[in-house]
Amino acid sequence: MMRAPVMVLNTNTKRESGKKVQISNIEAAKTVADIIRTCLGPKAMLKMLMDPMGGIVMTNDGNAILREIQVQHPAAKSMLEISRTQDEEVGDGTTSVVILAGEVLSVASQFIEDKIHPTLIILGYRKALDDMLEILKEQISIPVDINNDEEMLKILKSCLGTKFMNQWSELACNMALKATRTCINEQGGRTEIDIKRYAKVEKVPGGTLEDSCVLDGIMINKDVTHPRMKRRIENPRILLLDCNLEYKKGESQTNIELSQDADFNRILQLEEEFIKKMCDHIIEKKPTLVFTEKGVSDLAQHYLVKAGITVLRRLKKTDNNRIARAVGATIVNRPEEIKEEDMGLKCGLFEVKKIGDEYFTFLTKCENPKACTILLRGASKDILNEVDRNLHDAMHVARNVMVDPRLVPGGGAAEMALSHALEQKSKSVTGVIQWPYKAVARALEVIPKTLIQNCGTNVIRTLTALRAKHAEGGNSSWGIDGETGVIADMKDVGVWDCYSVKAQTYKTAIETAMLLLRIDDIVSGTKKSSGEANAPAPDDAPPMVT
C-alpha cells in the first residue's frame, strides 16, 4: 500500500530533473547563438578575439569566433561543434546555422514548460525538416548555368557582401572562381573539386590587396640549393622525386669495423660511386629542373650543377603533389626507375624571385594546370588572415554551385518563404505535433529578423511588411536588403545563396536541436582531486562562456 505513492514521487522528481536539464541546455545554446547574432549580414559587427598566446584576431566569421570561445557547458560545446561541421561540409553558413539552432531550441522551451514530451516535439521537428527540404528544392530553388561567369560572380558577390573583402569583391570573386575552376578534375566519369588540397593560399605581407592574384601554376617558399644553378628557365623539363640524393644510411644502428687505412678510403669511394650512379640515372633523362622531398648531398649538387640541372630540396609532400598536378609530372621514388612519361613538360616558366627578405620559386604559364597557388598581398598579417578566411568561404560557395548547380534567394527570403509555406501546411497536421511544427516556421524568421536588427531599422514594422508580402503569394524571392534593412526583391538586388549550403544549414540546425532535446540528464564521469565525483553545474546556473 505504501509503495505506490513513493513510485509516483520518484517519477515526478525524475521528470522535473529532466525538464531542468533540457531548459539548461536550451539556455546554453541560446547564449552561444546570441554571441554571434551580430555577425550576420553586410552590416555585421566584428569580434576581437584574444588567444591564450596573446595574439589578437578581428573577424566576423562565425566559425573563426566559435573556435576561440571556451565553454564549460556540454550543450554549448555541441553548438560550437555544429559550426565546425558546417564549415567542413560546405564552407559557408557557419553563423546562420548556430543562430537558427539556438532559435529552434528556444521555441521548444515553452513546450517543455507545458510538459509536452520531448519525443513529440522531436516528431514535429522531424516532419517540419522533411517538408522544408522538399519545399526548398521543388518550389524555391532555381537551376543555374555554371559556365556563365556573370551568374557565378553574382553568387560569389552575395557571399562576400557580408565580409571584410566586400570593397574588393570584384577581385576576390574572380580569384575564387578561377582557383575553383582550376581544381576541377574529371576522373572516371565523376568530377572532383578538391580546393583544400590543390588551391593553396600563400600570404606574403607587403604590397596592396590589388596585387593579389591566382597564378597559372605553383609558388613555393624555396630557393635553389647551389648558387651556380639557374634561377630562370623557360619551358623546363621537370622531374619530381621522393627520395634522398645522398648516401643511404643504415636503417638501424650500423657498425663497421676497419682493420687498415685502405678500408676507410674504400668506404668513401663506395659512397661517391653510389651518388654518381644515382646522378647519372637523373642526367640520362636530361631534366632541367629537379624537385625532391628529401635531402641532396654536396656531391650530388656538384654533379647536377656540372650537367646544368637546377635542384630544389626538402619540399613538403603536399607541395610536390600540387606541382605534379600543375605540370603533368609523376612523382618518382627511385632514380633508376625514371621514365620519359614521368617528366613534367607543361610548365612555361620557372623563376626564383625575392619578395621582401625571402626567396620564392614560381612555376607559371602552365598549360591547363589542375592545381594553383593564390598569392595574397596586404598591409599586415591580420588583414591577410581575414582575406584568407573570406576567400575560403567564396571558393567553397563556387565549389558547391559547381557540384549542385541550384540557387535560392538570399537576404532571409528563403527562410520567410519556408516559414509561410510551413504555416499553411501546419493546418493539415493533426495532434500535438502541430505546435512544434508551427514553432519551426516561427523560428525560421530569426534570420531576416537578425538582418534587420544589424541594420538598425525597426524590426516589428519591417518583419510585418515582409510577412504580408509573402502572404500575397508568388513573392518567394522577397527578403531583406542587408545594406539598408528594407524589404526588397532579391532577384533585383542580386543576392543568392547555394542550395546545398541552405539545405545543410537547416539539416544541421534542426537535427542538433532534436539531439539536445533528447537529453534529460547530464552525468559527469570525472573525479575531483579530493576523490569526490564532479557533479554537473546546477540547473539554474547560467552557461559558462568565456
Side-chain angles (χ1 to χ4, degrees):
M1 290 282 293
M2 292 296 289
R3 278 183 196 169
V6 175
M7 289 278 286
V8 172
L9 183 64
N10 284 349
T11 310
N12 285 341
T13 309
K14 184 66 185 164
R15 274 186 194 153
E16 283 302 312
S17 164
K19 181 175 145 185
K20 278 185 180 176
V21 168
Q22 281 147 357
I23 296 292
S24 164
N25 287 348
I26 290 168
E27 286 297 319
K30 205 164 177 330
T31 305
V32 173
D34 286 344
I35 289 169
I36 61 164
R37 266 187 81 159
T38 55
C39 296
L40 188 72
K43 297 288 183 186
M45 306 297 278
L46 296 177
K47 302 285 181 195
M48 184 181 274
L49 310 172
M50 294 171 66
D51 63 28
M53 304 300 290
I56 291 173
V57 180
M58 287 168 283
T59 182
N60 67 350
D61 184 287
N63 186 44
I65 294 163
L66 294 174
R67 256 204 319 261
E68 298 297 329
I69 288 175
Q70 292 176 359
V71 297
Q72 261 116 34
H73 200 291
K77 280 183 183 171
S78 61
M79 290 292 283
L80 308 191
E81 198 57 46
I82 63 168
S83 168
R84 201 167 300 135
T85 306
Q86 181 81 1
D87 190 56
E88 285 168 10
E89 194 66 29
V90 287
D92 195 20
T94 51
T95 309
S96 308
V97 73
V98 176
I99 294 171
L100 190 58
E103 190 65 18
V104 171
L105 277 166
S106 181
V107 293
S109 59
Q110 186 58 51
F111 306 130
I112 301 288
E113 293 285 356
D114 293 343
K115 297 185 180 175
I116 295 177
H117 199 278
T119 310
L120 295 173
I121 302 171
I122 289 163
L123 207 61
Y125 279 10
R126 169 63 64 195
K127 185 164 175 49
L129 177 60
D130 294 343
D131 289 347
M132 275 163 68
L133 295 174
E134 190 186 325
I135 294 165
L136 190 70
K137 189 166 189 177
E138 304 297 330
Q139 298 174 26
I140 300 173
S141 67
I142 57 165
V144 63
D145 178 12
I146 57 172
N147 297 316
N148 184 339
D149 280 7
E150 201 178 313
E151 286 288 316
M152 292 295 285
L153 289 172
K154 265 187 194 173
I155 302 159
L156 296 183
K157 273 181 189 167
S158 64
C159 161
L160 287 178
T162 65
K163 310 284 182 187
F164 169 80
M165 278 293 276
N166 187 15
Q167 51 195 314
W168 296 279
S169 61
E170 194 75 33
L171 171 74
C173 293
N174 281 310
M175 283 166 57
L177 190 57
K178 186 180 176 185
T180 312
R181 286 225 167 111
T182 304
C183 296
I184 296 174
N185 189 29
E186 302 279 347
Q187 264 187 340
R190 75 185 252 283
T191 307
E192 177 205 58
I193 309 175
D194 192 345
I195 51 177
K196 192 173 182 181
R197 201 172 292 171
Y198 297 114
K200 173 81 185 293
V201 175
E202 283 285 355
K203 295 171 279 194
V204 183
T208 61
L209 274 170
E210 285 80 5
D211 299 334
S212 304
C213 62
V214 177
L215 302 171
D216 49 357
I218 303 293
M219 174 187 114
I220 50 173
N221 190 354
K222 287 282 172 193
D223 190 11
V224 294
T225 56
H226 194 285
R228 279 176 50 207
M229 287 175 177
K230 292 177 190 168
R231 294 191 162 195
R232 190 177 194 280
I233 305 169
E234 290 189 9
N235 300 316
R237 282 170 61 84
I238 299 173
L239 173 64
L240 302 179
L241 295 173
D242 180 16
C243 58
N244 289 310
L245 293 182
E246 49 196 5
Y247 192 67
K248 193 170 174 67
K249 300 172 183 67
E251 292 290 330
S252 54
Q253 279 191 330
T254 311
N255 293 323
I256 302 174
E257 196 172 310
L258 305 175
S259 54
Q260 50 193 12
D261 293 348
D263 291 349
F264 187 66
N265 291 332
R266 179 62 188 143
I267 287 170
L268 291 176
Q269 193 184 344
L270 282 170
E271 193 172 322
E272 281 192 26
E273 283 170 9
F274 178 81
I275 290 170
K276 186 164 189 334
K277 190 180 171 187
M278 206 187 303
C279 291
D280 286 343
H281 285 303
I282 294 169
I283 294 163
E284 191 186 319
K285 294 296 175 188
K286 296 179 182 166
T288 51
L289 187 57
V290 174
F291 291 91
T292 178
E293 292 173 31
K294 307 287 191 330
V296 180
S297 71
D298 292 348
L299 189 60
Q301 285 180 42
H302 165 74
Y303 288 130
L304 295 170
V305 166
K306 276 175 73 178
I309 298 170
T310 299
V311 184
L312 283 89
R313 64 182 169 189
R314 303 203 191 285
L315 258 76
K316 290 179 186 168
K317 184 80 178 168
T318 50
D319 285 338
N320 217 10
N321 287 335
R322 264 195 294 278
I323 293 171
R325 283 273 288 253
V327 303
T330 308
I331 299 171
V332 182
N333 296 83
R334 290 162 62 90
E336 53 267 34
E337 291 176 2
I338 302 168
K339 301 190 188 93
E340 181 58 36
E341 56 264 32
D342 295 334
M343 307 295 277
L345 307 172
K346 290 185 179 178
C347 178
L349 178 66
F350 157 78
E351 61 181 332
V352 178
K353 290 183 188 173
K354 190 178 183 189
I355 305 175
D357 292 338
E358 295 186 79
Y359 286 95
F360 291 89
T361 294
F362 288 83
L363 294 166
T364 50
K365 298 183 182 174
C366 293
E367 177 197 328
N368 191 22
K370 295 293 178 194
C372 65
T373 299
I374 303 160
L375 174 60
L376 292 183
R377 306 301 309 276
S380 70
K381 280 186 179 175
D382 288 333
I383 288 175
L384 286 174
N385 288 336
E386 183 64 4
V387 171
D388 182 15
R389 282 190 285 270
N390 297 170
L391 211 55
H392 164 86
D393 287 356
M395 285 196 296
H396 269 86
V397 168
R399 177 184 149 269
N400 293 333
V401 175
M402 287 174 190
V403 171
D404 188 352
R406 300 183 76 81
L407 296 181
V408 294
E415 284 78 14
M416 280 307 287
L418 283 171
S419 176
H420 178 68
L422 289 182
E423 280 281 359
Q424 296 302 311
K425 212 160 185 182
S426 66
K427 292 169 186 171
S428 61
V429 178
T430 54
V432 180
I433 66 166
Q434 183 184 16
W435 306 109
Y437 189 95
K438 267 181 145 172
V440 173
R442 278 203 314 279
L444 284 167
E445 293 183 358
V446 74
I447 301 293
K449 186 178 174 183
T450 305
L451 285 171
I452 301 165
Q453 278 173 342
N454 290 350
C455 290
T457 48
N458 188 306
V459 177
I460 297 169
R461 195 173 296 158
T462 314
L463 202 59
T464 307
L466 188 58
R467 270 198 210 111
K469 199 79 187 168
H470 280 269
E472 288 171 17
N475 291 327
S476 62
S477 62
W478 279 74
I480 304 296
D481 184 338
E483 296 288 344
T484 57
V486 298
I487 66 168
D489 190 342
M490 293 297 113
K491 286 178 185 168
D492 300 336
V493 181
V495 176
W496 296 94
D497 284 328
C498 302
Y499 164 75
S500 54
V501 171
K502 280 286 178 208
Q504 187 64 41
T505 301
Y506 301 148
K507 278 188 230 168
T508 309
I510 294 178
E511 283 175 5
T512 303
M514 292 192 294
L515 184 71
L516 290 177
L517 285 172
R518 207 169 254 140
I519 296 163
D520 73 341
D521 217 340
I522 298 173
V523 182
S524 174
T526 56
K527 299 274 185 186
K528 283 187 180 173
S529 54
S530 60
E532 294 173 17
N534 184 12
D539 298 313
D540 55 350
M544 296 290 288
V545 181
T546 55

